[in-house]
mmCIF file of all heavy atoms in Angstrom:
data_model
loop_
_atom_site.group_PDB
_atom_site.id
_atom_site.type_symbol
_atom_site.label_atom_id
_atom_site.label_comp_id
_atom_site.label_asym_id
_atom_site.label_seq_id
_atom_site.Cartn_x
_atom_site.Cartn_y
_atom_site.Cartn_z
ATOM 1 N N SER W 109 148.660 -104.712 -17.799
ATOM 2 C CA SER W 109 149.736 -105.278 -18.605
ATOM 3 C C SER W 109 149.259 -106.626 -19.117
ATOM 4 O O SER W 109 148.581 -107.358 -18.396
ATOM 5 C CB SER W 109 150.998 -105.440 -17.750
ATOM 6 O OG SER W 109 151.441 -104.177 -17.324
ATOM 7 N N PRO W 110 149.584 -106.975 -20.360
ATOM 8 C CA PRO W 110 149.001 -108.181 -20.940
ATOM 9 C C PRO W 110 149.496 -109.478 -20.292
ATOM 10 O O PRO W 110 150.691 -109.652 -20.072
ATOM 11 C CB PRO W 110 149.424 -108.120 -22.411
ATOM 12 C CG PRO W 110 150.517 -107.134 -22.490
ATOM 13 C CD PRO W 110 150.420 -106.231 -21.299
ATOM 14 N N GLY W 111 148.568 -110.332 -20.015
ATOM 15 C CA GLY W 111 148.822 -111.734 -19.696
ATOM 16 C C GLY W 111 149.683 -112.045 -18.489
ATOM 17 O O GLY W 111 150.276 -113.109 -18.432
ATOM 18 N N ASP W 112 149.797 -111.157 -17.537
ATOM 19 C CA ASP W 112 150.585 -111.518 -16.356
ATOM 20 C C ASP W 112 150.083 -110.735 -15.151
ATOM 21 O O ASP W 112 149.087 -110.012 -15.223
ATOM 22 C CB ASP W 112 152.080 -111.251 -16.592
ATOM 23 C CG ASP W 112 152.322 -109.856 -17.102
ATOM 24 O OD1 ASP W 112 151.562 -108.944 -16.726
ATOM 25 O OD2 ASP W 112 153.259 -109.633 -17.886
ATOM 26 N N ASP W 113 150.798 -110.865 -14.056
ATOM 27 C CA ASP W 113 150.336 -110.194 -12.840
ATOM 28 C C ASP W 113 151.117 -108.903 -12.593
ATOM 29 O O ASP W 113 151.270 -108.457 -11.469
ATOM 30 C CB ASP W 113 150.447 -111.139 -11.639
ATOM 31 C CG ASP W 113 151.872 -111.675 -11.505
ATOM 32 O OD1 ASP W 113 152.714 -111.307 -12.356
ATOM 33 O OD2 ASP W 113 152.121 -112.441 -10.564
ATOM 34 N N GLN W 114 151.637 -108.335 -13.654
ATOM 35 C CA GLN W 114 152.378 -107.078 -13.545
ATOM 36 C C GLN W 114 151.418 -105.922 -13.242
ATOM 37 O O GLN W 114 150.229 -106.012 -13.569
ATOM 38 C CB GLN W 114 153.116 -106.778 -14.851
ATOM 39 C CG GLN W 114 154.174 -107.801 -15.216
ATOM 40 C CD GLN W 114 155.224 -107.896 -14.138
ATOM 41 O OE1 GLN W 114 155.842 -106.902 -13.782
ATOM 42 N NE2 GLN W 114 155.399 -109.078 -13.572
ATOM 43 N N PRO W 115 151.938 -104.846 -12.656
ATOM 44 C CA PRO W 115 151.059 -103.692 -12.397
ATOM 45 C C PRO W 115 150.602 -103.039 -13.703
ATOM 46 O O PRO W 115 151.243 -103.229 -14.745
ATOM 47 C CB PRO W 115 151.963 -102.744 -11.592
ATOM 48 C CG PRO W 115 153.350 -103.160 -11.905
ATOM 49 C CD PRO W 115 153.314 -104.619 -12.221
ATOM 50 N N PRO W 116 149.505 -102.290 -13.654
ATOM 51 C CA PRO W 116 149.061 -101.603 -14.866
ATOM 52 C C PRO W 116 150.044 -100.506 -15.262
ATOM 53 O O PRO W 116 150.916 -100.123 -14.470
ATOM 54 C CB PRO W 116 147.716 -100.998 -14.447
ATOM 55 C CG PRO W 116 147.804 -100.861 -12.969
ATOM 56 C CD PRO W 116 148.685 -101.966 -12.485
ATOM 57 N N VAL W 117 149.877 -100.013 -16.468
ATOM 58 C CA VAL W 117 150.713 -98.906 -16.928
ATOM 59 C C VAL W 117 149.823 -97.689 -17.175
ATOM 60 O O VAL W 117 148.642 -97.846 -17.528
ATOM 61 C CB VAL W 117 151.501 -99.266 -18.208
ATOM 62 C CG1 VAL W 117 152.471 -100.406 -17.937
ATOM 63 C CG2 VAL W 117 150.583 -99.612 -19.356
ATOM 64 N N PRO W 118 150.379 -96.494 -17.001
ATOM 65 C CA PRO W 118 149.560 -95.293 -17.244
ATOM 66 C C PRO W 118 149.475 -94.991 -18.730
ATOM 67 O O PRO W 118 150.400 -95.289 -19.490
ATOM 68 C CB PRO W 118 150.342 -94.200 -16.504
ATOM 69 C CG PRO W 118 151.757 -94.663 -16.514
ATOM 70 C CD PRO W 118 151.724 -96.160 -16.516
ATOM 71 N N SER W 119 148.364 -94.413 -19.111
ATOM 72 C CA SER W 119 148.202 -93.978 -20.495
ATOM 73 C C SER W 119 147.838 -92.501 -20.525
ATOM 74 O O SER W 119 146.976 -92.052 -19.775
ATOM 75 C CB SER W 119 147.109 -94.797 -21.186
ATOM 76 O OG SER W 119 146.991 -94.364 -22.518
ATOM 77 N N LEU W 120 148.540 -91.802 -21.392
ATOM 78 C CA LEU W 120 148.278 -90.382 -21.629
ATOM 79 C C LEU W 120 147.521 -90.296 -22.950
ATOM 80 O O LEU W 120 147.988 -90.844 -23.954
ATOM 81 C CB LEU W 120 149.623 -89.651 -21.728
ATOM 82 C CG LEU W 120 149.612 -88.209 -22.192
ATOM 83 C CD1 LEU W 120 148.976 -87.316 -21.135
ATOM 84 C CD2 LEU W 120 151.045 -87.747 -22.469
ATOM 85 N N VAL W 121 146.378 -89.648 -22.959
ATOM 86 C CA VAL W 121 145.595 -89.546 -24.191
ATOM 87 C C VAL W 121 145.827 -88.154 -24.791
ATOM 88 O O VAL W 121 145.460 -87.140 -24.185
ATOM 89 C CB VAL W 121 144.102 -89.801 -23.929
ATOM 90 C CG1 VAL W 121 143.316 -89.664 -25.224
ATOM 91 C CG2 VAL W 121 143.896 -91.196 -23.338
#
Side-chain angles (χ1 to χ4, degrees):
S109 297
D112 51 32
D113 55 359
Q114 297 301 304
V117 297
S119 181
L120 170 69
V121 179

